[in-house]
């Protein structure tokens, strides 16, 4: 395999380009956007959440679902669509909400996330990525004391896979993050994970794409595939100016995030991926002593806070409304309110830089990494809420699989069922 073409220059495609290039493979990176990191990877929550990989589909989520859907202020919203794939996805999501399945998925995702942490560390050491990856530690604050026992059980269970986590009382939470001293809502307890890190996903995407020395084909939309003898031979592409061209390669990787399902449908490949919209704001720090340094997750409000230099990125919400990127001002107002309640006086709120992105989510939160039934066509997509966290491990794993090498973790849970 001499030349591979990667479709999608988000954090997954850019990491894939570098993983392949490190194997001595010539790489072409194609994206409809004008530069890497413009899709879901642009202004996401910035969390490298290696120990928080529990799937979205859990028994607790299933129980809470009716209440969430009926409440106007709920972090989750849903607009039914009359598409068979949408209902198949929902049925599979509900089917995945069993405790046994949650534990299996958490275990396989922990292995992938730890692999990702190791691969990113190696790449940072061996390439001048020039991106700050800060081991900020993560503090998940809980407002409901009744959740304490379940949280402790989860911490104990995850410890056997190598997660280092500690349950803290409210005072200890405020010692870990002194900016929480001004929080207007009471804290019941928290979980502290010292190994978690933060980084800017857009900058990382670009740095990975540059380090790969791939041939970039930006402003280029992939409209379809040219197949011969059951193998993909080329991509059919359209440039921003409308010019059509084909790009040939020995193999192709679809890393098109929320765009992957539509791209593969004409080949008869049904990817179980739903776009789940989320929002972020990025606030300039006004008073450094009042802004968080550690990465904070407010479990009750389902919001994450990450300090990126002089800004704090706040992200959250989950909307199943198709590929609609419109920004709902009520979501932005809710995030601003939560940020000023939790860290009063910390931020300038005049220019919150509102952003919305689509998480490419599979029903059970397992990404799709591996071959398809079409020759020469591979997948690295469906990373849902964890694409930044899992990018480097997923990319490395795929590059090994494409070369027929054995891998240190079981890759079968990530294979698309044919
Ligand atoms: C609000 C929010 C917060 C999040 N926070 C975190 C977090 O804190 N930590 C974490 O780990 N993850 C987080 N995520 C998830 C993470 O952002 C995604 O999983 C990740 O960005 C997916 O990367 P990707 O490369 O697969 O997709 P994308 O970044 O969307 O990249 C796909 C690319 O494919 C291109 N493309 C699609 N179709 C075509 C086509 N036909 N032709 C050419 N190009 C095409 C697109 O232009 C795009 O650039 C968050 C997501 C959201 C929305």
């Amino acid at each position: 395999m001499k030349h591979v073409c990667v479709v999608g220059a988000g954090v997954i495609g850019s990491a894939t380009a570098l993983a392949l290039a490190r194997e001595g493979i010539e790489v072409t990176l194609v994206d409809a956007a004008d530069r890497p990191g413009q899709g879901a990877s642009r202004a996401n929550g910035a969390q490298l959440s290696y120990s928080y990989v529990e799937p979205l589909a859990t028994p607790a989520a299933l129980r809470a679902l009716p209440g969430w859907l009926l409440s106007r202020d709920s972090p989750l919203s849903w607009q039914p669509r009359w598409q068979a794939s949408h209902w198949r996805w929902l049925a599979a999501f509900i089917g995945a909400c069993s405790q046994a399945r949650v534990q299996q998925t958490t275990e396989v995702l922990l292995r992938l996330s730890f692999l990702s942490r190791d691969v990113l560390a190696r790449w940072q050491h061996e390439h001048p990525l020039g991106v700050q990856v800060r081991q900020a530690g993560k503090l998940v604050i809980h407002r409901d004391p009744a959740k304490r026992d379940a949280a402790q059980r989860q911490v104990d269970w995850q410890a056997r896979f190598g997660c280092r986590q500690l349950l803290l009382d409210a005072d200890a939470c405020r010692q870990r993050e002194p900016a929480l001293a001004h929080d207007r809502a009471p804290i019941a307890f928290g979980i502290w994970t010292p190994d978690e890190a933060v980084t800017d996903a857009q900058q990382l995407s670009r740095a990975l794409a540059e380090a790969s020395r791939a041939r970039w084909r930006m402003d280029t939309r992939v409209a379809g595939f040219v197949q011969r003898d059951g193998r993909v031979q080329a991509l059919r592409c359209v440039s921003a100016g409308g010019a059509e061209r084909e790009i040939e390669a020995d193999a192709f990787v679809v890393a098109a995030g929320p765009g992957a399902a539509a791209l593969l449908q004409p080949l008869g490949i049904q990817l179980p991926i739903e776009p789940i919209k989320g929002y972020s704001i990025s606030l300039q720090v006004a008073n450094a002593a009042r802004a968080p340094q550690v990465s904070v997750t407010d479990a009750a409000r389902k919001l994450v806070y990450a300090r990126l230099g002089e800004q704090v990125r706040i992200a959250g919400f989950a909307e199943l409304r198709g590929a609609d990127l419109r920004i709902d001002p009520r979501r932005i107002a809710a995030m601003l309110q939560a940020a000023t309640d939790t860290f009063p006086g910390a931020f300038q709120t005049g220019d919150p830089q509102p952003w919305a992105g689509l998480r490419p989510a599979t029903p059970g939160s397992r990404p799709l990494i591996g071959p398809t039934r079409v020759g020469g066509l591979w997948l690295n997509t469906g990373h849902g809420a964890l694409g930044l966290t899992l990018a480097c491990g997923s990319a490395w794993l795929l590059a090994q699989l494409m070369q027929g090498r054995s891998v240190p973790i079981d890759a079968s849970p990530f294979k698309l069922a044919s």
Side-chain angles (χ1 to χ4, degrees):
M1 194 182 298
K2 284 196 183 131
H3 175 210
V4 175
C5 190
V6 178
V7 182
V11 71
I12 302 295
S14 300
T16 306
L18 179 55
L20 290 166
R22 286 173 56 95
E23 300 294 330
I25 294 170
E26 183 190 336
V27 181
T28 303
L29 188 56
V30 184
D31 202 295
D34 63 351
R35 54 196 191 280
Q38 297 305 294
S41 309
R42 184 159 166 197
N44 73 11
Q47 315 272 324
L48 291 163
S49 253
Y50 299 116
S51 295
Y52 282 90
V53 296
E54 195 181 53
L56 301 176
T58 63
L62 195 58
R63 281 193 301 275
L65 211 56
W68 282 340
L69 295 178
L70 289 173
S71 156
R72 246 176 85 83
D73 303 327
S74 149
L76 188 118
S77 77
W78 172 48
Q79 192 169 48
R81 297 197 313 282
W82 307 117
Q83 277 171 350
S85 58
H86 176 62
W87 292 94
R88 270 199 305 272
W89 190 95
L90 288 173
F93 179 89
I94 291 168
C97 288
S98 77
Q99 195 50 32
R101 183 70 193 265
V102 169
Q103 290 201 337
Q104 284 163 8
T105 300
T106 304
E107 197 176 330
V108 299
L109 290 182
L110 281 175
R111 292 191 208 292
L112 184 58
S113 80
F114 291 157
L115 176 67
S116 284
R117 184 166 61 197
D118 294 347
V119 172
L120 176 56
R122 202 182 323 141
W123 287 357
Q124 277 185 288
H125 187 64
E126 292 172 10
H127 300 273
L129 292 180
V131 177
Q132 201 192 24
V133 179
R134 191 169 64 87
Q135 192 180 326
K138 187 187 198 44
L139 181 61
V140 178
I141 51 171
H142 288 265
R143 312 284 185 182
D144 179 359
K147 301 243 161 96
R148 192 183 172 109
D149 288 351
Q152 182 68 67
R153 278 196 300 277
Q154 184 74 12
V155 165
D156 294 343
W157 182 73
Q158 290 203 174
R160 66 170 90 160
F161 305 109
C163 298
R164 293 197 304 140
Q165 296 180 296
L166 209 59
L167 209 108
L168 304 179
D169 64 20
D171 283 341
C173 288
R174 287 186 280 267
Q175 272 164 23
R176 281 285 166 206
E177 180 42 80
L180 283 170
H182 313 281
D183 188 353
R184 292 189 178 127
I187 296 171
F189 66 96
I191 298 167
W192 169 243
T193 313
D195 301 328
E196 309 289 64
V198 294
T199 193
D200 183 277
Q202 181 178 197
Q203 283 176 17
L204 183 65
S205 304
R206 184 167 186 115
L208 294 168
E210 276 171 355
S212 76
R213 298 174 187 267
R215 200 179 299 121
W216 291 13
R217 293 283 178 261
M218 300 292 116
D219 286 319
T220 303
R221 185 174 61 82
V222 177
F225 300 90
V226 180
Q227 277 191 86
R228 243 170 271 132
D229 307 325
R231 269 190 86 77
V232 173
Q233 305 281 344
L235 300 176
R236 280 195 297 106
C237 299
V238 184
S239 74
E244 293 181 14
R245 64 175 295 196
E246 290 186 2
I247 301 179
E248 293 187 353
D250 302 318
F252 301 83
V253 177
V254 173
L263 193 56
L264 294 192
Q265 206 174 20
L267 295 181
I269 298 174
Q270 310 284 348
L271 295 188
I273 293 180
E274 269 280 314
I276 301 188
K277 180 155 79 169
Y279 294 85
S280 78
I281 54 176
S282 303
L283 300 178
Q284 204 62 30
V285 171
N287 180 342
R290 291 205 162 209
Q293 277 290 351
V294 313
S295 161
V296 173
T297 298
D298 188 335
R301 295 187 175 115
K302 305 219 173 305
L303 292 178
V304 295
Y305 297 78
R307 179 79 172 258
L308 297 170
E310 290 310 303
Q311 287 194 339
V312 171
R313 173 82 46 78
I314 301 146
F317 300 119
E319 297 185 350
L320 265 94
R321 296 174 165 268
D324 173 2
L325 272 170
R326 275 175 301 184
I327 291 181
D328 179 346
R330 286 172 309 172
R331 295 301 202 190
I332 305 306
M335 280 196 285
L336 275 171
Q337 187 65 52
T340 45
D341 283 352
T342 311
F343 301 105
F347 309 120
Q348 289 170 24
T349 52
D351 175 21
Q353 301 177 43
W355 175 81
L358 301 171
R359 304 175 183 93
T362 61
S365 296
R366 295 180 187 190
L368 302 166
I369 306 165
T372 67
R373 58 183 161 70
V374 176
L377 189 63
W378 298 76
L379 296 176
N380 195 3
T381 189
H383 292 76
L386 287 168
L388 177 60
T389 305
L390 302 177
C392 297
S394 304
W396 182 85
L397 193 65
L398 182 71
Q400 302 306 306
L401 294 173
M402 288 177 77
Q403 307 218 77
R405 299 218 183 103
S406 58
V407 286
I409 65 170
D410 179 11
S412 63
F414 308 121
K415 189 163 183 273
L416 176 68
S418 45

